Structures are given as C-alpha cells and as structure tokens.
C-alpha cells in the first residue's frame, strides 16, 4: 500500500434526488424520493430530508410511501443524470488518467498518477478544489474520501457525507477501522455479516483478533484471506482506468438447495428486479437477458434470449427470465441462480409495452394459418393510446413555458411551471391530450454563460438553498 493518501473516492450526495431538487425550486429542502412508482417499484435514491423518515435506496416504494406519505415521488430521468455525470467525470479525468467509475455518481481517482497530489496536503487541496469545481459546474455537492487505498478512501467518503471531505492519514488506518461494523468492509454483505455475527464477530477489530485461520474456517480460503487482510487495512487494489461495461448481472447462492419450483420462480423474479436496479443505476439498457442456474450436482446451465431492442423495463426482463426458466429442469434442486443483461446501450426512454408487444407479435407470426386454411378476419387497428406523463419529467406549454409533471390520472395532468433558476412556480392542470402541452428536454442546472466564464464561485456566492447541508469543511480523522 502506498505511503501517501493520494487515492480519492468521490460519491455524489443523494445524486438523483439532489439533481431533482436542483432543477425544481419547489422541492428544495423537502423530502424527494426517486424510483419506480408502480406496485413493484423500488427506491433508487432518497433525499436526505426523506431519509429522516427511514426511506433508503432499494426499499420497496410502497414501504417508502407509508414512511413518508408527503414526500415528492418522481420517475427517474436517467438521460439527465447521465449528462451531469459526464461533466463530473470530465473533472475527474482532468486530475488523472486513472479514473475508475463505479456508477453514474461514484468513482475512484489515482491523484498521484496525474501529478495532482503527492502527499497529504496536496491531496487535501486537490479534493477541496474538486468539490468546488463540481459545485460550479453542476450546482450539486459531492463527498470526498482521501486515503492510501481504495477501501479506505471509500470509507472516508462515507464518513464525509453529506458535502464534506475526510482524509485518512497513513498510519492511522487500524485505529479508524477497529470499532467499525464488519459490514463496512467490501464484500461483507448481509449473509456474510450474519455468519460472522453468529460467530461472535461484530467489528473490524474482532475480525483481526479472530485470526486468519479462524476466518478461513468460517468463510473459506479466498474470502477468509481477503477479509483478514482488509481488517488489517491491507488493500493493494489499483485504480483501474475505465473499461466498457459489457453486462450487468446479479446472482445468489443458497445455503440449502431449493427444490420447490414456485420458490425458484420467485427467486428468479426477485433477481430480475435487482438486475434492473443495477442497470438503471448505471443508466443503461440491454437487449439480451441471461439466466444462470447451478443445480444440486454443481452443473451450471445458462439460457439467453435476445429482444428486438434494448430495455430496462422490469416487467419485460422478468417475463424473459421466466420464459428462460421454463426450459431448465430444476427437479433435483438449485444451488445458485443468476439473472443478467448484456448487449448494453445507453438508457433511452421507451414505450413500457413495446417489448411485450414484440413478443406477442412474434407469437402471432408463428400462429399464422398454413396454406389452404381460411384466415381469420383482420383485427381493427387499436385506438391511439393515452399520452403518458411520468411524474417529475419535463414538459413545455405553449402559453406557460417550461415545467414538470407533478402527477397525472383520470385524463388530466398537473404541471408545476418553474425552472432551475426561477422561484417556486405555480401549478396548473390540463387534459392529457392538450395540444399545447408537450414533453421537453431538461434545462441545465448551471447557466451556460456561467460555465464558459471560467472563474470558480466563492462560497458566499453559492446558492442560498445549499447552506443547510452539513460537513462543508475538510476534516482529517484518525
């Protein structure tokens, strides 16, 4: 491990929700929840105001609504988030050629490789300037961790949230890690955490005290060795420059083989939903759905289906995974299940029913009558579908200008007319098919003139509504 804290981890604060608050003046300082709003929807991001009520990412949206019934619930605008992310990643690449993005809102940077930092003080200054530049370019805030390893830099950024900076000095790592929960370490999820807890191991210090042999006995050779090294603050992983993502997948290994076919099907549906959350978190969609099944005898089968076009629709991916499962014999039991999506593309807004309609069309093609058989009368073309107005998405009205959808239903759509630089706007309701109302592109959070002018804003000139966020200063912790 290097001797200077020159690895930086950036994590944008409540990214999706903060972007929505920045673009919608009426939501600033209020609880905002972004995610799927359907009956099976989950929370993608919750603002800090919503987290006070216990709302967090990956929570079922129905539960979030019970906890925070008065929050604003919005459908994600992934193209908008990606445009902001590209600006942030551009700032990181200006610091170093070694930038390792983890998602739209998170990345590692090797400051030493770019000559941006070589010791603790230069690293601190680079981190402070980065945070100011992010504010100036996007209007949003990010938290920064600085350390001599990736693991510690990420822990530092978690401690810095929201809107702060934590630098972990080399030599202080063991003291910092010791009292932290075992779940703090990479690779320790709920299952491993419960396994360690049953063995009486709750903190990182207790992992180190247990010893390497005991961890290998509890967790297996590879995982035991790795976890013991991390507990001692040993992490030699380098920052790896960005590589193109080829697939997104999730899988679970079960302590006891699953024999019940209904349970297997439910697990596949759950994994499909998790895969969609990862896909959407990366702002991607994909064409090929892959099912992985490891059976009781350790034989592993994969099945795949390629759709007509890329999708991130959870219903479509669940249906495809279920069809793939139909072709697999699980009679003897299942040890592992996985669902993945490949053939990736940037996220694009699409008709929620397009892929399902394509499947139905393919089935209809296969059922055409053979020569000599009478054909059924042609069906009449369906009536035009009602226009969709997702909550939170941008619109423009011929008379009232730019706004966003607060909600829709019963043939009407309610719009609040405001922009990122206006006062909170007025609300008006229209018929869904009002010809003067059209979908619109998001407006930039920072005026183009401000981006081209160059000078970095002084803290006093930052938007007043950001003054409530905590942790604005740089902090060094043992």
């Amino acid at each position: 491990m290097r001797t200077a804290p020159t690895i930086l981890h950036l994590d944008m604060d409540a990214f999706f929700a903060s972007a929505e608050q920045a673009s919608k003046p009426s939501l600033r300082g209020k609880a905002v929840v972004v995610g799927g709003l359907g009956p099976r929807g989950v929370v993608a991001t919750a603002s800090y105001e919503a987290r006070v009520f216990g709302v967090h990412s990956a929570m079922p949206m129905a539960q979030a609504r019970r906890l925070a019934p008065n929050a604003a619930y919005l459908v994600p605008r992934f193209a908008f988030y990606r445009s902001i992310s590209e600006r942030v990643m551009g700032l990181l690449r200006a610091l170093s050629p070694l930038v390792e993005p983890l998602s739209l809102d998170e990345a590692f940077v090797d400051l030493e490789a770019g000559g941006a930092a070589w010791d603790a003080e230069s690293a601190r200054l680079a981190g402070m300037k980065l945070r100011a530049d992010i504010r100036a370019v996007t209007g949003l805030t990010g938290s920064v961790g600085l350390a001599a390893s990736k693991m510690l830099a990420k822990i530092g950024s978690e401690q810095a949230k929201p809107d702060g900076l934590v630098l972990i000095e080399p030599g202080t790592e063991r003291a910092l890690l010791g009292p932290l929960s075992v779940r703090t370490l990479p690779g320790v999820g709920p299952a491993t955490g419960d396994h360690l807890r049953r063995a009486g191991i709750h903190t990182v210090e207790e992992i180190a005290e247990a010893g390497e042999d005991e961890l290998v006995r509890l967790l297996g050779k590879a995982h035991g060795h790795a976890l013991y090294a991390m507990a001692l603050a040993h992490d030699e992983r380098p920052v790896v420059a960005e590589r193109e993502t080829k697939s997104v997948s999730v899988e679970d290994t079960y302590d006891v083989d699953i024999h019940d076919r209904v349970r297997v099907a439910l697990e596949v549906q759950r994994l499909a939903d998790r895969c969609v959350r990862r896909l959407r978190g990366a702002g991607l969609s994909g064409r090929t759905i892959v099912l992985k099944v490891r059976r009781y005898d350790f034989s592993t089968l994969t099945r795949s289906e390629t759709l007509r076009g890329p999708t991130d629709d959870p219903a479509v991916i669940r249906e495809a995974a279920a069809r793939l499962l139909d072709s697999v014999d699980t009679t003897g039991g299942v040890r592992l299940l996985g669902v993945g999506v490949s053939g990736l593309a940037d996220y694009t807004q699409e008709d929620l029913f397009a892929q399902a309609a394509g499947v139905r069309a393919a089935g209809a093609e296969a059922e055409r009558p053979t020569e000599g058989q009478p054909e059924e009368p042609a069906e009449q073309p369906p009536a035009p579908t009602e226009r969709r107005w997702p909550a939170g998405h941008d619109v423009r009205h011929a008379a009232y200008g730019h706004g966003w959808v607060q909600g829709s239903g019963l043939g009407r759509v309610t719009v609040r007319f405001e922009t990122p630089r206006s006062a909170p706007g007025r609300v008006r309701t229209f018929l869904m098919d009002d010809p003067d109302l059209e979908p619109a592109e998001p407006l930039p959070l920072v005026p183009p003139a401000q981006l081209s002018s160059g000078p970095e804003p002084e803290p006093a000139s930052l938007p007043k509504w950001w003054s409530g966020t905590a942790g604005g200063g740089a902090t060094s912790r043992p």
Side-chain angles (χ1 to χ4, degrees):
M1 192 165 70
R2 63 185 71 194
T3 58
T6 53
I7 290 182
L8 179 149
H9 181 261
L10 170 71
D11 197 348
M12 298 294 289
D13 299 321
F15 181 46
F16 296 173
S18 293
E20 297 296 347
Q21 289 176 317
S23 66
K24 299 173 171 64
S26 59
L27 297 184
R28 294 170 187 172
K30 297 181 180 178
V32 175
V33 181
V34 180
L37 303 189
R40 295 177 62 89
V42 296
V43 176
T45 308
S47 70
Y48 287 99
E49 296 85 354
R51 295 180 192 188
V52 171
F53 298 99
V55 180
H56 58 76
S57 60
M59 171 182 285
M61 191 62 76
Q63 183 181 355
R65 288 184 183 277
R66 289 193 296 270
L67 293 173
N70 297 320
Y73 289 87
L74 308 177
V75 175
R77 298 184 293 164
F78 286 108
F80 177 53
Y81 309 146
R82 179 171 288 278
S83 69
I84 300 172
S85 174
E86 287 171 354
R87 290 189 178 278
V88 173
M89 296 302 167
L91 293 174
L92 299 183
R93 293 187 187 96
L95 290 174
S96 172
L98 290 183
V99 176
E100 183 179 342
L102 304 179
S103 63
L104 288 178
D105 59 344
E106 187 180 1
F108 287 108
V109 184
D110 188 329
L111 297 176
E112 189 175 20
W118 49 92
D119 59 12
E121 186 57 26
S122 60
R124 187 196 310 275
L125 292 174
M128 292 174 66
K129 183 178 185 302
L130 173 65
R131 291 176 57 237
D133 287 346
I134 289 172
R135 252 193 221 260
V137 168
T138 69
L140 305 180
T141 64
S143 296
V144 167
L146 292 157
S149 71
K150 290 168 71 172
M151 178 185 74
L152 291 165
K154 182 172 175 62
I155 290 172
S157 69
E158 286 295 321
Q159 293 194 342
K161 281 184 167 293
D163 189 20
L165 182 152
V166 167
L167 185 148
I168 300 173
E169 294 275 6
T172 66
E173 299 94 346
R174 292 285 301 276
L176 169 74
L177 287 174
L180 299 181
S181 165
V182 295
R183 291 289 305 276
T184 305
L185 298 180
V188 181
T192 302
D194 287 344
H195 201 53
L196 292 170
R197 178 179 53 78
R198 288 195 295 269
I201 299 173
H202 301 86
T203 67
V204 176
E205 184 177 10
E206 289 170 345
I207 289 178
E209 291 173 349
E212 191 169 15
D213 291 342
E214 176 65 8
L215 291 172
V216 168
R217 186 186 70 79
L218 288 171
L219 305 174
K221 188 173 182 180
H223 201 179
H225 285 315
L227 199 59
Y228 182 69
M230 288 189 290
L232 299 180
H234 297 161
D235 179 17
E236 302 293 340
R237 295 174 300 157
V239 176
V240 180
E242 181 177 9
R243 298 195 198 107
E244 182 181 0
T245 303
K246 295 185 178 180
S247 65
V248 174
S249 62
V250 296
E251 61 182 42
D252 274 348
T253 302
Y254 304 99
D255 293 336
V256 178
D257 291 354
I258 302 175
H259 293 83
D260 183 357
R261 183 73 178 188
V262 173
R263 166 83 189 283
V264 172
L266 289 173
E267 288 295 311
V268 168
Q269 299 294 285
R270 184 179 62 82
L271 289 166
D273 289 341
R274 279 177 52 196
C275 186
V276 167
R277 291 199 291 272
R278 287 196 180 182
L279 197 68
R280 289 184 167 184
L284 297 169
S285 58
R287 293 186 62 205
T288 301
I289 315 303
V290 181
L291 175 70
K292 178 180 177 181
V293 180
R294 181 166 296 149
R295 298 188 293 189
Y296 68 100
D297 58 357
F298 287 90
S299 62
T300 302
L301 305 176
T302 58
R303 299 288 186 269
S304 65
E305 175 181 320
T306 299
L307 306 172
R308 293 188 307 159
T311 185
D312 71 346
D313 179 5
V316 171
I317 293 174
R318 283 196 299 266
E319 289 172 9
R323 287 193 297 273
L324 294 170
L325 179 61
D326 287 341
S327 66
V328 177
D329 179 12
T330 62
T331 305
V334 171
R335 301 179 60 87
L336 175 147
L337 290 169
V339 174
V341 177
S342 60
L344 301 180
D346 287 350
Y347 178 89
T348 53
Q349 191 71 31
E350 63 179 20
D351 179 354
L352 289 177
F353 304 102
Q355 299 291 347
V359 171
R360 289 193 294 270
E365 183 74 20
E367 294 171 8
R368 280 187 176 177
T370 58
E371 187 174 352
Q373 289 182 322
E375 293 193 14
E376 295 291 331
E379 293 184 5
Q380 294 298 318
T385 57
E386 191 175 52
R387 298 167 76 184
R388 294 178 59 252
W389 300 102
H393 282 227
D394 299 84
V395 295
R396 178 169 290 279
H397 191 274
Y400 301 109
H402 191 92
W404 58 277
V405 176
Q406 279 201 326
S408 62
L410 300 177
R412 289 174 170 77
V413 54
T414 301
V415 177
R416 184 180 288 273
F417 291 97
E418 59 187 5
T419 72
R421 293 171 294 282
S422 73
R426 299 185 64 181
V427 175
R428 296 184 181 275
T429 299
F430 308 91
L431 294 175
M432 281 191 174
D433 58 357
D434 190 321
D436 290 335
L437 190 66
E438 295 291 341
E441 292 297 318
L443 297 177
L445 298 182
V446 177
Q450 182 174 323
L451 291 177
S452 60
S453 62
E456 185 178 300
E458 295 297 324
S461 69
L462 294 171
K464 184 176 181 181
W465 58 276
W466 282 112
S467 61
T469 55
T475 307
S476 179
R477 298 191 180 183

